[in-house]
């Protein structure tokens, strides 16, 4: 498959990827003078051939459209000045509706969502999940936590049917960070008070999770964090072994199959298997964080599946929500889970395993089974990766350093940090949402849904080509 790449010296449109539907007309290239890096991209005109004809997004940095509440002002007064400033830079728009691959703003414009931090593998508001949640709201949305709750039991059974063999015990929580906290506490319950994490790893921002999220930007204001945390290089078994040898029989190791917030860092084949073997040798508990990489994101149910690795604890989140209700989970083997299994009050949460959240989780797993979502992600991921590489090819070695990915988790690494922000603004003004990487400031991250259709995919590729040209014009000239 090939994609006709754009040229920095031409405004010719980016061609469609082979086997995909013909693309819509390309949005107009931004009007920008090379000598004025601060100039802003022009919003594209609405083309009749596009999947839908929506009003243009306001240019980044302009005031919010008139005739509606000033959401930016409300943010400034009640949520925070930093977020308010970010919102104003992005045009002051507020998202008010979503479905499938689209998010709708309060100015009438819709955006193709290739971001969402990995949550929307099923798209926004998957109909089966919405129906299940509505049904649960109409019957029993929150539990007394005194009697047994059947939806949680069925959701745990459905999830455990797809986890690696032996990971049968499910502890539902409300977020990925809470899943990390549960794993760290479980390790403590086994007397494992040392934690080994990887540099650039990201596991959440609550206090315990932050202790193993290796980024001083987020850690420093909250020091001291958990004691006895060691950072080792990612994809470096020798460095890990040295740390394990120093903490024999008292360590918990936490690692991601692919570092998402770390900039889509993909380890060499065999790395996870080596980590598993080293943990056995030195008596360490292995926690694999699949909060972003799991639920089909990498083209398999779990990132560990590629090497047939069974961790002691698996962290699940994001995609488990079905794009409807926040829910996450810590899944463990019987041996690892034993302290929590014996004492149901050892680690609890009022809203953890709520019927409404578990209804969403159960419906998500069933919908993924029925629609073969994992196989679709496995087939779609390489097509998108190849197409994105083709679109970025003219800038390789200059603006773009590398394009890498696995499944539906793709990163574009740039030579300069500024390019990430510039390209994000270009894409937003052209109707596409993507994400930066919190632990790798030079990497733009793509997490497209598995439900994306060819027409929307071609629209994305065309828009990416035009946005790269606009970014290159301003940064390189």
């Amino acid at each position: 498959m090939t994609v006709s790449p754009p040229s920095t010296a031409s405004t010719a449109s980016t061609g469609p990827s082979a086997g995909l539907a013909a693309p819509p007309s390309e949005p107009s290239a931004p009007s920008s003078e090379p000598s004025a890096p601060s100039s802003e991209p022009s919003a594209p005109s609405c083309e009749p051939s596009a999947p839908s004809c929506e009003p243009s997004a306001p240019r980044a940095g302009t005031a919010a459209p008139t005739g509606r509440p000033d959401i930016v002002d409300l943010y400034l007064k009640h949520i925070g000045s930093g977020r308010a400033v970010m919102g104003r830079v992005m045009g002051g728009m507020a998202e008010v509706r979503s479905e499938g691959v689209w998010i709708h703003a309060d100015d009438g414009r819709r955006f193709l969502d290739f971001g969402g931090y990995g949550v929307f593998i099923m798209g926004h508001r998957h109909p089966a999940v919405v129906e299940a949640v509505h049904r649960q709201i109409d019957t029993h949305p929150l539990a007394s936590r005194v009697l047994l709750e059947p939806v949680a039991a069925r959701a745990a059974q459905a999830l455990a049917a797809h986890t690696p063999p032996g990971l049968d015990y499910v502890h539902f929580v409300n977020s990925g960070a809470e899943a990390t906290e549960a794993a760290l506490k479980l390790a403590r319950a086994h007397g494992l008070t040392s934690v080994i994490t990887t540099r650039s790893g990201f596991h959440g921002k609550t206090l315990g999770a932050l202790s193993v999220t290796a980024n001083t930007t987020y850690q420093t204001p909250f020091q001291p964090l958990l004691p006895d945390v060691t950072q080792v290089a990612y994809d470096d078994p020798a460095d890990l072994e040295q740390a394990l040898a120093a903490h024999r029989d008292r360590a918990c190791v936490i690692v991601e199959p692919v570092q998402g917030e770390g900039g889509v860092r993909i380890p060499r084949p065999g790395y996870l298997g080596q980590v598993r073997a080293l943990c056995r040798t030195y008596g360490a508990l292995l926690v694999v964080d699949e909060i972003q990489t799991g639920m089909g994101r990498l083209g398999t149910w779990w990132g560990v599946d590629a090497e047939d690795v069974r961790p002691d604890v698996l962290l699940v989140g994001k995609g488990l929500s079905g794009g409807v209700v926040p829910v996450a989970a810590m899944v463990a083997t019987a041996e690892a889970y034993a302290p929590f299994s014996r004492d149901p009050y050892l680690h609890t949460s009022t809203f953890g395993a709520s019927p409404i959240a578990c209804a969403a989780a159960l419906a998500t797993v069933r919908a993924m089974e029925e629609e073969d979502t994992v196989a679709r992600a496995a087939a779609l991921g390489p097509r998108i990766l190849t197409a994105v590489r083709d679109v970025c090819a003219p800038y390789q070695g200059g603006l773009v350093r590398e394009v890498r990915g696995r499944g539906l988790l793709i990163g574009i690494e740039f030579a300069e940090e500024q390019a990430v922000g510039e390209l994000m603004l270009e894409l937003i003004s052209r109707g596409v949402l993507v994400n930066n990487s919190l632990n790798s400031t030079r990497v733009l991250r793509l997490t497209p849904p598995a439900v994306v259709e060819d027409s929307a995919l071609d629209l994305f590729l065309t828009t990416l080509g035009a946005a790269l040209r606009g970014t290159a014009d301003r940064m390189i000239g």
Side-chain angles (χ1 to χ4, degrees):
M1 178 184 66
T2 59
V3 173
S4 302
S7 166
T8 55
S10 170
T11 57
S13 63
T14 305
S17 53
L20 301 179
S25 300
E26 179 185 356
S28 57
S31 174
S32 175
E33 295 297 329
S35 60
S38 62
S39 61
E40 296 158 345
S42 300
S45 300
C46 187
E47 298 289 347
S49 59
S52 87
C53 199
E54 301 283 348
S56 298
R59 185 175 297 178
T62 60
T66 58
R68 59 189 175 94
D70 189 351
I71 303 301
V72 172
D73 186 54
L74 294 179
Y75 263 77
L76 184 63
K77 292 178 178 178
H78 303 293
I79 294 181
S81 59
R83 191 66 181 87
V85 169
M86 287 176 59
R88 184 169 283 121
V89 166
M90 295 182 184
M93 293 167 289
E95 54 189 78
V96 295
R97 186 165 59 89
S98 60
E99 78 283 323
V101 300
W102 302 101
I103 288 179
H104 298 259
D106 56 353
D107 66 347
R109 179 78 187 275
R110 74 174 185 174
F111 293 81
L112 179 61
D113 188 10
F114 269 43
Y117 294 97
V119 170
F120 302 102
I121 186 74
M122 303 284 287
H124 292 264
R125 295 175 54 245
H126 188 282
V129 183
V130 170
E131 181 183 0
V133 168
H134 273 300
R135 189 164 57 247
Q136 196 64 46
I137 290 173
D138 288 339
T139 55
H140 188 53
L142 295 178
S144 70
R145 305 199 64 79
V146 176
L147 307 178
L148 297 178
E149 202 288 294
V151 183
R154 289 196 291 268
Q157 179 188 38
L159 181 59
H162 293 284
T163 54
L167 277 87
D168 298 323
Y169 286 81
V170 181
H171 180 85
F172 285 111
V173 291
N174 304 293
S175 69
E178 287 182 51
T180 302
E181 297 286 347
L184 294 174
K185 288 184 67 177
L186 185 60
R188 290 285 183 101
H190 283 281
L192 305 175
T193 57
S194 298
V195 185
I196 299 174
T197 188
T198 58
R199 297 188 189 102
S200 297
F202 189 95
H203 307 286
K205 291 181 180 175
T206 52
L207 200 63
L210 182 60
S211 301
V212 293
T213 291
N215 187 328
T216 55
T217 300
Y218 306 121
Q219 289 182 329
T220 300
F222 306 102
Q223 298 281 3
L225 299 171
L226 290 184
D228 203 4
V229 176
T230 303
Q231 295 181 17
V232 299
Y234 187 66
D235 195 18
D236 189 339
D239 198 20
L240 174 61
E241 183 169 18
Q242 185 176 0
L244 284 168
H247 300 86
R248 184 184 286 270
D249 297 325
R250 57 189 177 91
C252 164
V253 174
I254 184 166
V255 66
E256 299 159 274
V258 173
Q259 288 190 329
E261 296 289 356
V264 191
R265 294 190 61 201
I266 303 169
R268 288 165 290 187
Y271 170 65
L272 289 178
Q274 291 174 293
V275 172
R276 171 73 279 180
L278 288 169
C279 286
R280 286 198 182 99
T281 298
Y282 291 96
L285 186 81
L286 175 58
V287 178
V288 176
D289 182 345
E290 298 255 20
I291 292 166
Q292 181 169 176
T293 58
M295 299 297 292
R297 175 59 61 185
L298 299 184
T300 50
W301 268 96
W302 315 103
V304 296
D305 292 347
E307 296 183 22
D308 198 23
V309 168
R310 190 195 79 167
D312 301 300
V313 177
L314 186 77
L315 306 185
V316 187
K318 296 188 185 291
L320 187 61
S321 67
V324 178
V325 177
V327 61
M330 179 192 74
V331 189
T333 64
E335 182 180 4
Y337 197 72
F340 283 13
S341 184
R342 287 192 299 267
D343 185 349
Y345 296 105
L346 193 60
H347 181 68
T348 59
S349 166
T350 299
F351 294 116
S354 68
I356 186 174
C358 289
L362 176 58
T364 296
V365 173
R366 287 178 173 170
M368 288 182 66
E369 292 170 344
E370 292 170 4
E371 298 173 12
D372 211 1
T373 301
V374 176
R376 180 169 174 81
L380 188 59
R383 292 172 60 200
I384 297 178
L385 179 60
T386 299
V388 170
R389 280 176 171 160
D390 288 343
V391 172
C392 291
Y395 312 101
Q396 199 80 29
L399 184 70
V400 176
R401 179 172 293 173
E402 184 183 15
V403 179
R404 54 183 177 265
R406 181 171 156 195
L408 294 175
L409 178 59
I410 297 169
I412 304 174
E413 182 175 349
F414 293 89
E416 299 179 34
E417 293 180 10
Q418 180 188 353
V420 174
E422 295 282 356
L423 185 59
M424 284 187 69
L425 289 177
E426 284 273 4
L427 288 168
I428 290 170
S429 67
R430 297 168 183 274
V432 172
L433 304 180
V434 294
N435 292 136
N436 61 323
S437 297
L438 294 179
N439 278 0
S440 187
T441 55
R442 288 186 173 89
V443 178
L444 188 80
R445 193 152 37 108
L446 310 176
T447 51
V451 297
V452 65
E453 299 290 342
D454 286 352
S455 58
L457 178 53
D458 278 319
L459 175 62
F460 168 75
L461 295 171
T462 300
T463 305
L464 176 62
L468 279 166
R469 279 200 302 277
T471 300
D473 285 346
R474 286 201 310 280
M475 292 190 61
I476 300 173

